[in-house]
Every structure is written in C-alpha cells, then in structure tokens.
Amino acid sequence: MDRHSSDEDDDRQTLIHQNDTKHLPRQIPTSPRASTAPRSGFHIEELESQIRRRFKLTFNKRYLFAIFLPLLLIPIFLSTDIRSLFSSNISSLKFNKVSDQLKESQLQALYLLNQQLTSLLSLWNHTFVNSNDNVSAVQFDDIKASLLNQITLNKHIQQTLLSPHKTGNTLQNATVLDPAYAGYSFDRCRKVDLKFSERRTIEWKPKPNKFLFAICLSGQMSNHLICLEKHMFFAAVLNRALVIPSSKFDYQYNRVLDTEHINDCVGKKAVIPFEDFMEMKKNHAHIDRFICYFSSPQPCYVDEEHLKKLRSLGISMGKLESAWKSEDIKKPSQKTIKDLEEKFASDDDVIAIGDVFFAEMERDWVTQPGGPIAHKCKTLIEPSKLILLTAQRFIQTFLGSNFIALHFRRHGFLKFCNAKKPSCFYPIPQAADCITRMVERANTPIIYLSTDAAESETGLLQSMVVLNGKTIPLVKRPPRNSAEKWDALLYRHGIEDDPQVEAMLDKTICAMASVFIGAPGSTFTEDILRLRKDWGTASLCDEYLCQGEGPNFIAGEE
C-alpha cells in the first residue's frame, strides 16, 4: 500500500508541475519610458486579462490541491501509525540514552539467568542420578518436579527478556531450553508400575458338580463386591464353581457385572448365575454344609430374615456351623490357605460360607494387582461392558483424558468419621485447600465429582477450588437429556435410573481418571482403588482427601 501511495504522489506532483509551466503569463517588456508613460487602454485590458488568468490558475491549483490532499492522506493514514510518525524521532532523541541502559540491563539479566539455568541443569544431572533411600518416592518426585518448574520458569523469563530483541521470528543470541527436550520432561503424577508379571497366583480349577454358594450381607454394593472377590478366592482354593446370589436375596449383579467375562478370563466355567444353578438342580437345591467364617457377633453374619429368603427361593439347608469358635468381625485374625483348606474343604456337592467381607487371609496375596487368581484379563470383577462404554462416552463428552476424580462422601459420614481417631470429616474450606493443592500438583484442568453431598456443600466447594485466580470446574453427571447421547446405551437396555448402575458408573469414571482423591474409610473408594490398581491406571498422586492431616475443627460427641 505504501508503494502505491508513493507512485500516486509522484504522478500528481508531475501533473501539477506541468500545469504550472503551461499557464505561466508572458513577461511584459518594461523600459524607463514605459514605466512613466500612461498605460494605454490596450495595456489595461491586457493586464486585466492577465490578472483574471492568474486568479483562475491560482483557484484551479488550490481546488486541485484540496481534492487530492485527502486522497493522498487516506492510504498513508491506513498504513502508518500516526503517533509513531510524529513522535518516533523526538522519542529517540530524548530517551536514546535510557533505552541503551535498559537494553544493557536486560542483556545482563539474561546472562545471569543463563548462568542460573546452567547451574540448575547441572544440579538435575548430578543430584538425581540415584534417589536417597531415606526419601520417599513421592517426596523425591516432588523435589524433581519443583526443580523442573524452576527450569521452566527460567525459560519463560529468558523469552520475555529477549522479546524486544527479536529479528522477525528469531531471537538474537538466544539459547532457550525446552524442558520437554532431551529427556527433561517429568510427570510427577505418572502411573504406578505395579509389576503384574511378578504376581503370585493360584489356578481356579472347579471340580464337576462342586459348588460354593456365596453369602454377602454386610453393607452396600461395594462391600458385597469385595466379599464376592474373596469368595472367588475361597472357590479357587477349594476347587469349586462359585454360585452368584439371586437378586431376590442380594443385589442384581447381572446389571453391573458380566459373569461370562469372569469365565472367559479364567478359561473355565468358574462362575454360575443363581438361575442357571437352580435350573441344574431343577429348582430344588440343598446346601449340604453352611459354614460360618465368623461366629461373632452372630454366626455367619446372617439373620433369620435372610435364611427365610433363601428357603423361599427353593434352597434347603442344615444347621449353621462355625469354622472357628471365637472369630469376631471387629477383630479378625490372619488366616492362611492352610487354615482355609482345613476348615472349609469338603466332599459335599454344595457348601455355603457366610459373609467374608471382614475376613483377613493372605492379605498381600489377595490384594495384589489383578487379584490372587490366575487369569488372562486385567481383573475378574469389573463393570459390565455397557457401563464401561457409557463411562468412556461420558469422559469423551465432558472431561477429556486429563482429569482428577474426587469421591467426596458426606451423607452420614460426619458421625462415622468423628467416631474414628483421627476424624476423616473435613470442613469445606479445608477440603478445598487440599483439592486445590492436588490440582496444582497434578496440573489438571478439571475435576469429576462423585458425591452424595447436598448442593449447599458442593456449591461452596466449587466456589473455593481456585488456582491462580481461575476456578477449577467440578463436574457431576447431569440429569437425563435426550439431546445428549453419552448415556444412550443404558436407556436402550433399560438399566437407566438404577442406583447400583449409577454407582458402578461413577466408580468406572473415577477408575479412569489421571489422579484419584478418595474418601478415607469408604469401601466405595476402596473398590475404585482396586479397579485403578488392576487396570493399571493408579497414579503416584492417588491419595485420600487431605491425607496426612486431621480436620481443623471437630464437633463434640452426643
């Protein structure tokens, strides 16, 4: 545009110059005589004609100038910073000395920062070759992450200082390190290496027509799933197929679990739904031995009402017997496989073992990643395919790959936690501080909130989870909306609005998070941690809410 404007200026100047030359009046010869003699009428008329021509020429020049001047200024105005046009020279004259001093100080600061960067990189390379055995893995990772943050900050300062010295897109005399280059990247919340290949396992080889009837009654679904997992270990030790309880006696497991998945993983018909079992027994089955793992506070942790439900399903049984006379659910003792084989081995076709949720046996073996049973899958007890796909669709719709999952249990948790020492029920502001610290540590932009808390609590929590002036969104599963298709599978198969399906969906989403913050003392949290461990999604940053600190205020007792 500047080039075109310049061309137009030259053309117009040439045009005006030619007009001026063409219309110049002829010079009138003068002499001493002529200057003193009276002018003739012809001379007067000629002079008047010349004046008129000169006035007309002057008018035409002013008219042309008035027309062309705006046309000349428009392209200049559009292509030029007017303030810099008038002030640049003055500024350069007045502040040239100050500018030189500023540049000198900037370059000096850049030199010092470059020296600092060299020292930091040297510290990185030499200090962290081997970690100190007295420092925990998490603390060690935090130190490395803090050091890398300083290196990154140094890089940003250098870029800022160098920005006035740019030549095009190139920084002059710049050597700026990208921490993601040459192996300097570091993820302080990386996945845990659980060493699945080192698992200790037992083969599950059910004998023909030998069954173990699972009894799980304590607590809610999460407790029952843990109980069911332990029953599977019993069944493997005793070489029996496990009978999944009826939905008329227990939860409707076929809505949240896929029993065929378990059989496929083991490679045998190791798990049988109650309906299939009863069909094999022609709707009349007898429990040959009903053995109680716990004898206190009551045998088998089963009451008369549940025994009546079993009988109503076509199940007959003999008298309950206790494996140990003084095994108490409040103080369970450690048991070994040898103990289990001695007390529960039997030649009878069908046996039942009372609730084993509180049982403590071969803990390191049973709780290892993937569980104690040999199989070809990541885990045996996992959400059904429908729930798994729905969770993935929800994450793709609302969360993305990098998010924190928070199990924030509140309903009925105040009294439960305050009965423990220390309490695990935290005031909202303290909880918000703990969550914010984790957001900063994990560098995640969003939180999935799995909670039973009231809106008054979650609303306050949302307002207080703020990092660097930015509110971190707390996302909950929204109410049903036909315009959203992430949950279409549940509605298509008629399992929407089922509390157990929704609970399992929450667990699945939490199990897929980058980082998980759990509720201490909650089996819902423990089942999520089990899934994360088995699926290989467990993070070094996974922890309980405000782990390592007690509530800053605790209410009195009743």
Side-chain angles (χ1 to χ4, degrees):
M1 180 178 290
D2 292 337
R3 180 177 57 82
H4 294 161
S5 299
S6 178
D7 292 343
E8 290 173 5
D9 291 345
D10 293 342
D11 292 340
R12 287 166 186 163
Q13 287 173 4
T14 303
L15 178 61
I16 294 172
H17 175 71
Q18 291 173 347
N19 289 339
D20 289 345
T21 304
K22 181 178 180 180
H23 295 286
L24 281 175
R26 291 180 294 112
Q27 294 294 326
I28 304 174
T30 60
S31 65
R33 182 179 177 181
S35 60
T36 56
R39 299 179 183 273
S40 66
F42 173 78
H43 289 159
I44 292 173
E45 290 175 359
E46 183 179 17
L47 180 61
E48 289 175 350
S49 176
Q50 291 175 358
I51 292 172
R52 283 197 297 271
R53 286 200 304 270
R54 184 177 296 274
F55 176 79
K56 184 176 181 181
L57 176 62
T58 303
F59 175 79
N60 288 342
K61 289 171 65 178
R62 291 176 180 175
Y63 183 76
L64 290 173
F65 183 78
I67 292 175
F68 284 118
L69 181 60
L71 295 177
L72 289 168
L73 291 178
I74 289 174
I76 296 174
F77 178 79
L78 294 176
S79 61
T80 306
D81 185 348
I82 297 300
R83 288 182 299 174
S84 64
L85 186 66
F86 290 99
S87 63
S88 59
N89 292 333
I90 297 174
S91 298
S92 62
L93 290 173
K94 289 184 177 180
F95 301 108
N96 187 52
K97 185 176 181 180
V98 176
S99 177
D100 289 343
Q101 292 175 346
L102 178 61
K103 288 180 180 180
E104 183 178 354
S105 64
Q106 287 177 335
L107 292 174
Q108 179 65 18
L110 180 63
Y111 169 79
L112 295 174
L113 282 171
N114 200 35
Q115 292 296 103
Q116 179 198 34
L117 179 59
T118 302
S119 299
L120 288 171
L121 291 178
S122 177
L123 181 64
W124 174 274
N125 290 330
H126 294 92
T127 304
F128 296 112
V129 174
N130 295 307
S131 63
N132 190 333
D133 293 337
N134 295 324
V135 180
S136 70
V138 173
Q139 289 174 328
F140 181 69
D141 288 339
D142 285 345
I143 294 171
K144 290 199 295 185
S146 298
L147 180 57
L148 188 59
N149 286 340
Q150 291 301 315
I151 296 173
T152 305
L153 179 61
N154 183 285
K155 168 194 170 183
H156 292 162
I157 295 172
Q158 290 193 51
Q159 289 177 329
T160 302
L161 287 171
L162 283 168
S163 59
H165 310 286
K166 284 184 177 180
T167 302
N169 293 324
T170 305
L171 292 176
Q172 295 180 352
N173 302 321
T175 303
V176 180
L177 174 73
D178 183 357
Y181 176 74
Y184 288 105
S185 60
F186 175 73
D187 182 7
R188 66 187 348 186
C189 293
R190 62 187 181 276
K191 302 305 177 188
V192 179
D193 181 7
L194 296 170
K195 300 179 180 179
F196 286 96
S197 60
E198 300 178 8
R199 283 198 310 136
R200 177 190 177 191
T201 59
I202 182 174
E203 293 286 338
W204 191 354
K205 300 177 180 179
K207 294 179 181 178
N209 298 317
K210 299 297 180 181
F211 303 98
L212 170 61
F213 203 94
I215 304 292
C216 296
L217 301 174
S218 60
Q220 300 183 20
M221 173 65 89
S222 296
N223 295 44
H224 287 223
L225 291 177
I226 295 172
C227 171
L228 201 62
E229 184 182 30
K230 292 182 178 181
H231 268 299
M232 290 168 58
F233 180 64
F234 273 82
V237 170
L238 302 173
N239 296 318
R240 292 177 176 271
L242 185 68
V243 179
I244 303 295
S246 167
S247 59
K248 296 179 181 179
F249 178 78
D250 201 339
Y251 287 109
Q252 197 166 354
Y253 289 105
N254 64 342
R255 287 196 165 195
V256 296
L257 301 177
D258 186 355
T259 56
E260 285 308 311
H261 162 79
I262 300 174
N263 291 330
D264 291 342
C265 292
V266 175
K268 301 175 182 65
K269 192 75 171 178
V271 174
I272 301 175
F274 177 80
E275 291 74 20
D276 294 354
F277 171 73
M278 291 301 291
E279 186 176 345
M280 291 171 57
K281 298 297 182 179
K282 299 180 179 179
N283 294 322
H284 292 287
H286 180 72
I287 297 177
D288 300 310
R289 290 186 66 188
F290 202 136
I291 309 171
C292 301
Y293 188 98
F294 292 100
S295 55
S296 180
Q298 62 189 56
C300 289
Y301 203 72
V302 62
D303 54 20
E304 187 59 34
E305 182 181 350
H306 283 95
L307 293 176
K308 288 180 179 178
K309 285 184 178 180
L310 280 176
R311 296 188 182 102
S312 68
L313 294 172
I315 303 293
S316 61
M317 68 199 78
K319 186 179 179 181
L320 302 184
E321 56 180 284
S322 295
W324 297 279
K325 291 183 179 180
S326 58
E327 192 68 16
D328 192 336
I329 63 171
K330 295 181 180 179
K331 297 179 180 180
S333 58
Q334 294 291 331
K335 305 297 181 183
T336 64
I337 282 188
K338 185 178 179 180
D339 295 329
L340 302 183
E341 291 174 335
E342 287 178 353
K343 296 297 182 179
F344 298 99
S346 173
D347 289 332
D348 294 304
D349 291 342
V350 182
I351 68 171
I353 298 179
D355 198 310
V356 293
F357 170 74
F358 296 99
E360 289 287 348
M361 70 277 185
E362 302 286 0
R363 182 174 181 81
D364 293 339
W365 191 0
V366 171
T367 60
Q368 65 185 335
I373 299 172
H375 57 83
K376 62 182 180 181
C377 304
K378 290 183 176 180
T379 185
L380 295 180
I381 296 182
E382 69 177 17
S384 68
K385 187 70 171 179
L386 290 177
I387 294 176
L388 187 62
L389 286 173
T390 301
Q392 291 172 347
R393 291 180 176 185
F394 179 86
I395 292 171
Q396 184 178 359
T397 302
F398 294 100
L399 302 172
S401 61
N402 185 25
F403 68 98
I404 290 176
L406 169 65
H407 176 216
F408 192 58
R409 182 176 173 184
R410 303 295 278 185
H411 180 68
F413 215 44
L414 176 58
K415 184 176 180 180
F416 169 81
C417 279
N418 282 356
K420 302 176 69 175
K421 304 298 179 185
S423 174
C424 54
F425 191 90
Y426 297 90
I428 297 290
Q430 185 179 2
D433 285 343
C434 296
I435 295 165
T436 303
R437 289 198 298 270
M438 179 57 75
V439 170
E440 183 175 23
R441 181 180 178 190
N443 191 27
T444 49
I446 196 167
I447 298 173
Y448 176 67
L449 181 61
S450 173
T451 187
D452 56 3
E455 190 66 32
S456 57
E457 293 186 68
T458 58
L460 177 60
L461 182 67
Q462 172 64 92
S463 69
M464 301 189 74
V465 180
V466 179
L467 181 63
N468 298 326
K470 179 182 178 182
T471 301
I472 307 300
L474 302 180
V475 178
K476 295 192 292 184
R477 284 186 295 106
R480 168 65 177 169
N481 188 331
S482 60
E484 297 174 2
K485 300 302 179 184
W486 64 269
D487 57 352
L489 287 174
L490 303 184
Y491 281 80
R492 196 180 304 161
H493 290 82
I495 57 174
E496 78 285 358
D497 299 327
D498 184 318
Q500 300 312 319
V501 171
E502 292 184 348
M504 184 60 81
L505 180 57
D506 258 15
K507 284 184 182 180
T508 309
I509 296 170
C510 290
M512 294 179 175
S514 304
V515 172
F516 174 63
I517 303 174
S522 167
T523 53
F524 189 93
T525 281
E526 295 306 315
D527 204 36
I528 292 171
L529 291 173
R530 175 190 66 83
L531 276 175
R532 290 179 64 78
K533 178 180 60 180
D534 292 354
W535 282 350
T537 57
S539 161
L540 286 173
C541 293
D542 288 357
E543 64 179 29
Y544 298 110
L545 179 64
C546 295
Q547 184 168 311
E549 63 180 275
N552 59 29
F553 185 88
I554 300 176
E557 298 179 358
E558 294 181 6

